Amino acid sequence: MEKVVAIAKMSPGIVRFYFDSKAAMLVASLQFLAAEFEERLLIPVAELKSSPVAALELMVDLYLDPDIASPRKVSVWYAFWGEASSRQEYYDICGQKDESFAALVRELIEKLIVDSSRPHLDPDGIALGLIGALEMMWQDFAFRAEPDIDRIAAKSRCMAYLRSVFPGQFRAAGDGSPRLVADSHPPRLPGWTYADARIHALERDILFEPEWTVVGHESDIPRGGDFLTIDTGVERVLVVRNSSGAVHALRNSCPESPHALIAPRRGRFDAGIECKLHGLKFLLDGRTRPGTGGADLTALDASSVSGLICARSRSADGARNPRLWFDAQPPLGLTGLGPPVEIPVAADWKTVVEQWLEPPRHLSPSPAEDCIVWHASPLGDSAWSARLYLRLAGCVPAAVWGRQFMAPNQLVELRPDGLSVIQAIPAAPGRCLVRRLDYTALPPQDGARAVLYLVRRLAPYARRTMLDVAESVQRGMIDFGYGIAAGGGSPAVDWFRRRLAARIPR
């Protein structure tokens, strides 16, 4: 009692006034520590349950903070635990504190397992490992003076444990860089980002909504009233040419209910746009027809580049209009070769894009820094496909094909006979749709379809064999946990990963 009143700088009489016994004073001291632990750690961390990574980082920081884990306080905790077996009050207070903390740790670990699509992990075992690491740090603190404690190192060791279980999710202590960027240079993407629901949603919002997507070619809608539809992965797009020749991009969705207004890929409106289900009618620019009532159709941004019609969900501050950086322009008189080819792929869109970017060994970003342009010479191949292409397309052997990757997910190929647009459309976490739009300047009688068949053999970006490789890579990362090499051997792949690292918080 003399030591207590000396530290508290109070008289023994005041202490005895509030506590009728030493036992009561000790219980009150333990209750104070438990309340402080709940107020300063459990409550702030619980408020971040929806973001388990941030919550766990805060938990480690607070658990090892000197306000909670000073040598004196840690020693007091262990002193009470030493008496808990013979004092029920101590056991109840200490036990409740530990149970609440353990339950919170397990809940956060379990949510992180779900968010990172790692159902094979055991939340109980991982939570027990983290609690054990934190307790070992506390034990070390109890036998040291404050100047001898390296709290940064202690936090780093606990975070290293979490990073070893969830690679790519957690920063090193004191590191303010994005979590996606690995310590190695150039950056690599953690495997879990290729099949994660949260990352999938972030990519749709941050990468795809503000970017232009090619929806077709002006030759698809030559007359007033002609329309074109497409699903970009983040929007259902309806492109319409009005009677004056202007092109409008609209959301292909009924204002009353989010069903697609128009199902066919191409067609023509004779009496404007209609929703027969709800009896709604709209003008070709998306405005409600006078006298019918209801909301207008949502307008999207539209632009044209070298005859390609592009649309995007919303304007982005400072965003440039789409541009083709090729030295040559597409041939005149392009026409479509049927509906788009669409192939479902059991792989993330990023996996497919990295397959596309493997071949170009010469990195040449455009001045806009949002695309890569390179040239290929498949016509130099002496194989049968190349020789026949030269003859049918009327090319000389020196002709080259231009290729431009338009971030985040489109590849434009310009050839002497026409052009193609290949897209990797995000469909779901770990899955995508590869779409190919083909246009030619060759008349049908000159073997346009035969030339297209040869083109797909010479540039197999949407061939099943290349997509099978992407699916195999995806399965290796997700099902078997194989790592991804830092630097795919191609500067273009490194550029693509670095671009993602700068835009998507992990």
Side-chain angles (χ1 to χ4, degrees):
M1 290 293 292
E2 290 177 356
K3 289 184 178 180
V4 170
V5 297
I7 294 173
K9 297 181 180 179
M10 293 181 178
S11 67
I14 293 178
V15 175
R16 293 191 182 95
F17 176 78
Y18 285 101
F19 305 105
D20 57 3
S21 66
K22 183 177 73 171
M25 184 184 66
L26 293 175
V27 169
S29 301
L30 183 56
Q31 289 173 337
F32 171 82
L33 288 177
E36 180 188 52
F37 188 83
E38 179 179 10
E39 180 181 348
R40 296 195 179 186
L41 189 145
L42 296 181
I43 293 177
V45 172
E47 290 176 351
L48 294 175
K49 282 183 181 179
S50 59
S51 303
V53 171
L56 288 167
E57 287 179 339
L58 179 63
M59 175 181 287
V60 170
D61 188 59
L62 293 178
Y63 198 91
L64 302 177
D65 188 86
D67 285 343
I68 293 176
S70 67
R72 172 174 290 178
K73 289 183 180 180
V74 171
S75 299
V76 171
W77 273 115
Y78 284 126
F80 278 115
W81 257 123
E83 297 291 326
S85 59
S86 58
R87 296 291 184 95
Q88 186 64 39
E89 302 98 321
Y90 299 175
Y91 184 83
D92 291 341
I93 297 172
C94 291
Q96 184 178 3
K97 168 258 184 184
D98 285 354
E99 288 175 5
S100 300
F101 180 66
L104 180 58
V105 173
R106 190 196 185 283
E107 184 178 359
L108 294 174
I109 294 294
E110 188 171 36
K111 189 173 190 316
L112 182 54
I113 289 173
V114 173
D115 290 350
S116 59
S117 301
R118 294 168 173 252
H120 61 284
L121 296 178
D122 176 23
D124 291 313
I126 298 170
L128 183 62
L130 177 58
I131 294 171
L134 292 168
E135 288 291 335
M136 288 297 295
M137 298 300 105
W138 265 35
Q139 289 181 24
D140 184 64
F141 292 174
F143 295 99
R144 294 179 181 270
E146 182 60 41
D148 299 328
I149 296 176
D150 188 345
R151 296 186 182 274
I152 294 178
K155 294 175 183 179
S156 297
R157 293 175 68 181
C158 294
M159 295 307 302
Y161 166 75
L162 286 171
R163 289 198 306 276
S164 68
V165 182
F166 300 99
Q169 294 273 22
F170 295 93
R171 293 184 291 255
D175 181 9
S177 61
R179 294 188 188 97
L180 176 63
V181 182
D183 292 335
S184 57
H185 181 80
R188 64 182 179 87
L189 301 179
W192 62 269
T193 64
Y194 290 76
D196 180 77
R198 183 177 66 89
I199 296 300
H200 175 74
L202 284 173
E203 290 170 345
R204 284 167 53 94
D205 293 343
I206 298 174
L207 295 181
F208 289 93
E209 280 197 8
E211 296 296 339
W212 295 102
T213 297
V214 176
V215 299
H217 190 267
E218 291 180 351
S219 62
D220 292 323
I221 49 172
R223 302 171 298 169
D226 289 345
F227 70 82
L228 190 67
T229 68
I230 203 167
D231 184 344
T232 69
V234 295
E235 279 286 5
R236 293 170 176 158
V237 180
L238 170 63
V239 175
V240 186
R241 189 182 294 276
N242 66 16
S243 57
S244 63
V247 174
H248 299 276
L250 307 167
R251 176 172 292 164
N252 185 18
S253 179
C254 174
E256 295 291 328
S257 176
H259 67 85
L261 282 174
I262 310 299
R265 161 67 176 168
R266 293 176 57 181
R268 179 176 174 80
F269 294 124
D270 294 323
I273 306 170
E274 293 186 36
C275 174
K276 296 182 179 179
L277 179 63
H278 297 100
L280 303 177
K281 297 183 179 181
F282 308 90
L283 302 175
L284 295 182
D285 61 3
R287 292 178 298 165
T288 302
R289 187 177 292 278
T292 61
D296 297 340
L297 297 180
T298 301
L300 308 178
D301 291 344
S303 184
S304 180
V305 50
S306 299
L308 292 174
I309 301 173
C310 303
R312 64 180 175 185
S313 300
R314 55 181 171 83
S315 297
D317 294 338
R320 296 176 172 85
N321 287 330
R323 178 177 175 182
L324 296 182
W325 295 90
F326 299 125
D327 297 332
Q329 290 294 314
L332 298 176
L334 290 178
T335 57
L337 283 170
V341 176
E342 295 184 339
I343 307 170
V345 184
D348 187 72
W349 69 275
K350 298 188 292 294
T351 310
V352 173
V353 167
E354 289 180 356
Q355 294 292 315
W356 294 348
L357 297 180
E358 278 290 346
R361 299 291 169 175
H362 175 64
L363 178 65
S364 178
S366 76
E369 290 297 336
D370 60 359
C371 68
I372 295 177
V373 180
W374 73 99
H375 296 86
S377 300
L379 309 183
D381 192 342
S382 59
W384 172 84
S385 297
R387 295 197 305 270
L388 186 56
Y389 174 88
L390 288 171
R391 182 166 62 84
L392 293 178
C395 300
V396 297
V400 296
W401 295 0
R403 294 188 177 120
Q404 174 177 327
F405 173 71
M406 300 173 63
N409 66 325
Q410 300 178 97
L411 181 65
V412 180
E413 182 177 76
L414 180 61
R415 306 178 304 272
D417 69 285
L419 66 81
S420 297
V421 180
I422 306 100
Q423 302 168 329
I425 307 297
R431 307 187 71 85
C432 71
L433 182 75
V434 172
R435 176 187 294 136
R436 181 173 182 130
L437 309 172
D438 294 298
Y439 297 90
T440 183
L442 298 177
Q445 62 269 22
D446 289 350
R449 293 197 174 278
V451 169
L452 178 60
Y453 168 78
L454 297 171
V455 164
R456 292 176 180 175
R457 286 180 58 87
L458 293 168
Y461 293 104
R463 282 181 64 183
R464 188 68 256 182
T465 51
M466 176 171 277
L467 301 180
D468 286 344
V469 173
E471 290 181 345
S472 180
V473 171
Q474 178 84 10
R475 191 178 176 208
M477 290 187 296
I478 304 305
D479 291 354
F480 301 106
Y482 298 153
I484 305 173
S490 164
V493 174
D494 297 338
W495 172 88
F496 174 68
R497 292 174 178 174
R498 188 176 291 108
R499 190 176 188 276
L500 289 181
R503 286 163 173 77
I504 302 297
R506 307 294 170 167

